Amino acid sequence: MNQRPARRPAPRPPEGTPAPAELARMARSGLAGAARVAHWADTALGPGSDGATADGKATLSEASAERASGDLGLTLAQIRADWDTARLAGLVEVHGDSARPGWRLRAWDRDDSAVLRGWVALFDAWSLAHPEPAEFEAAAVAEVVSAMPQVLSFLQLSAGPVPVEQLLDLLRQRVTELRTERCEVPYETETGIGTGGGSAVPVAAVSAARTDLVDRAPADDPAPAEDAELAPLLDWSLHALASVGALTYGVGQATLTPLGSWAVWVKLEQICVAAQSPAGNIEVAAEEMLRGCAQLRPNAARAEYRAWLAARPVGSAVAELVAAARGEDALLRGLAFEALRVVGAPAEPDVRAVVDEPTLRPYALLWLAEHDGVDPEDAHEVLTREEATWLWVDTAAAVADHGEAPLLVRHLESALQPTVPALLDEVRAVGHPRTVQVLVALAAAHPDPALAKAVRRAAFQVHTGG
């Protein structure tokens, strides 16, 4: 019973993959222009000078771009391209209506992992780094972007040049599958038996299993993807991936670069690790995933979060996590924001949008403070006394629901108030919906009879409106 399960050995990258230090050197080389512009902005547009942006979207203002062009000896087009790359790689971060240096820029010369994370962030945003031509339909572009992970996986497994014709055939098959999946709808029979909607559709990268299609007329079948419509989109995708350094493209074939091959392998490994976990966290919705991670150690839980996120579009994943945080389970609320910390900058707009929701406000303020560079140990200082007390009650509710009595007693010691009577007064005033249950559980758990009696009295007063 006391033996820990054997840990899964750390996976080794494919033979021939350069060492992390060499990969980081390649990433620094590819992002040298972006880092140069970001460092320039940090020096020239830092505190006490004019802001780097004018529209609240981190678009470099005309005056700042011309100034950078003169200082760095680059054209305006080069400056804007490097600025956009710096944003996508996290060297520049958007906070509200301004842009500022990202933490990766601070660690650029000394931390190889920060450099590689920055490059992977750019790799993930390849479709933004090289926008599609205006003549392409948005729906068709979205299908190809959704299908490209399978194309990249095939390139990684091939470990060498692959003819574009072969990639086009694979893309056509995958897009046709996506169109077929969109036609799968829940159904109900006359006896009232239906799908229930409780299970998530398995991720395509892990499982090809799908529910049976509803019988329908041939006219309702999705049109198969045609090479004529996909060929120019594949050409754009390969050029975009080449522009971020993920592959080389030319002479009718494409080949992953060492960086691109390593990044695809990392993502596949994350997905496989999660798929092999007992809870199968990669397959489930956010709430169930968080419950599956509740008993894990922090590092193991973060690995699960990363794998779950890697298998989903970041926008929908963040929306799921925020929805889980709005639920009644306080433990899931805290875990959801831990998962959002793994998401990082892409989650900022969604987190900022919930600051005015009383249930989420303390968590959101702490997340934003840490994202802005405040030390996690000092982040609580951004909360008012009332917000900190509300968070204490919410955390106590999580402990009462999922922890043991000694944990709840120890949680009492973490309160800001110097005395128990002061804590009880402020807890009663804060209006948390779980106040009564928390006080009753604390009274039952505390070994001091006099203190337990005072806590029970406070619970009764809250219950009766006193």
Side-chain angles (χ1 to χ4, degrees):
M1 290 294 291
N2 295 326
Q3 292 181 350
R4 293 183 179 179
R7 290 187 176 181
R8 181 178 185 266
R12 294 182 177 273
E15 186 176 354
T17 301
E22 178 63 15
L23 290 170
R25 186 195 65 77
M26 296 176 185
R28 283 191 180 93
S29 176
L31 293 171
R36 178 173 50 181
V37 169
H39 279 300
W40 174 87
D42 185 21
T43 302
L45 307 173
S49 63
D50 295 335
T53 64
D55 61 358
K57 300 178 181 178
T59 301
L60 200 63
S61 67
E62 191 67 30
S64 296
E66 291 177 357
R67 183 178 169 188
S69 177
D71 290 350
L72 300 177
L74 300 173
T75 66
L76 286 175
Q78 288 175 312
I79 292 295
R80 292 198 179 281
D82 287 341
W83 177 261
D84 289 340
T85 299
R87 289 169 52 201
L88 295 174
L91 299 176
V92 173
E93 296 178 356
V94 184
H95 296 268
D97 60 354
S98 64
R100 66 187 65 170
W103 68 270
R104 288 177 185 141
L105 185 66
R106 303 297 190 208
W108 195 250
D109 295 324
R110 56 180 171 79
D111 189 340
D112 288 347
S113 65
V115 175
L116 290 174
R117 288 182 184 182
W119 186 86
V120 170
L122 177 64
F123 168 68
D124 287 340
W126 62 266
S127 61
L128 301 177
H130 189 81
E132 72 278 5
E135 64 267 19
F136 291 162
E137 294 184 4
V141 171
E143 288 179 336
V144 170
V145 171
S146 297
M148 283 307 292
Q150 280 66 41
V151 175
L152 289 169
S153 299
F154 182 75
L155 278 167
Q156 199 274 336
L157 293 171
S158 299
V162 178
V164 173
E165 292 81 1
Q166 194 170 359
L167 297 178
L168 181 59
D169 182 61
L170 177 62
L171 180 64
R172 175 179 51 77
Q173 295 179 40
R174 181 62 189 138
V175 169
T176 299
E177 288 179 358
L178 290 172
R179 293 177 180 177
T180 301
E181 289 170 358
R182 285 202 302 271
C183 289
E184 294 179 350
V185 295
Y187 67 95
E188 294 184 0
T189 67
E190 294 180 355
T191 59
I193 301 174
T195 61
S199 60
V201 177
V203 179
V206 178
S207 173
R210 297 188 292 273
T211 58
D212 292 334
L213 295 177
V214 179
D215 292 337
R216 58 185 182 272
D220 294 331
D221 288 339
E226 298 292 342
D227 290 352
E229 64 174 324
L230 294 180
L233 285 167
L234 176 62
D235 182 69
W236 160 70
S237 301
L238 295 177
H239 274 111
L241 287 160
S243 73
V244 301
L247 52 80
T248 57
Y249 175 40
V251 198
Q253 61 185 20
T255 310
L256 284 180
T257 63
L259 269 175
S261 179
W262 167 80
V264 175
W265 172 79
V266 167
K267 292 184 178 297
L268 289 173
E269 181 62 26
Q270 289 174 343
I271 291 172
C272 290
V273 168
Q276 293 169 4
S277 68
N281 289 322
I282 196 172
E283 297 285 350
V284 299
E287 183 172 334
E288 189 175 347
M289 180 273 293
L290 294 172
R291 292 189 189 281
C293 294
Q295 302 301 321
L296 298 179
R297 294 177 179 272
N299 286 340
R302 281 191 289 271
E304 290 288 298
Y305 301 152
R306 283 192 291 270
W308 186 86
L309 292 163
R312 288 161 175 78
V314 66
S316 61
V318 170
E320 274 197 64
L321 291 171
V322 171
R326 288 193 177 104
E328 296 182 359
D329 194 326
L331 176 64
L332 297 191
R333 190 157 29 253
L335 293 177
F337 276 86
E338 286 300 318
L340 289 170
R341 286 179 173 85
V342 174
V343 177
E348 183 184 5
D350 295 83
V351 174
R352 200 172 291 280
V354 302
V355 165
D356 293 330
E357 297 183 25
T359 305
L360 303 183
R361 179 175 175 80
Y363 294 94
L365 291 176
L366 291 176
W367 190 99
L368 291 168
E370 293 175 25
H371 182 61
D372 286 346
V374 177
D375 190 300
E377 293 185 0
D378 300 327
H380 67 277
E381 295 177 1
V382 304
L383 303 179
T384 66
R385 183 70 165 242
E386 182 179 4
E387 290 164 350
T389 302
W390 195 100
L391 182 61
W392 184 89
V393 179
D394 204 51
T395 308
V399 176
D401 290 342
H402 302 279
E404 299 177 353
L407 292 178
L408 191 58
V409 174
R410 285 204 295 272
H411 185 61
L412 180 63
E413 301 170 0
S414 69
L416 294 176
Q417 293 75 8
T419 65
V420 172
L423 170 64
L424 294 178
D425 286 343
E426 295 189 32
V427 165
R428 283 192 298 238
V430 81
H432 193 290
R434 294 291 306 279
T435 299
V436 172
Q437 293 94 323
V438 165
L439 294 179
V440 169
L442 181 59
H446 207 283
D448 185 335
L451 189 147
K453 182 178 180 180
V455 174
R456 275 195 300 271
R457 185 184 303 114
F460 179 75
Q461 290 172 342
V462 174
H463 177 66
T464 57

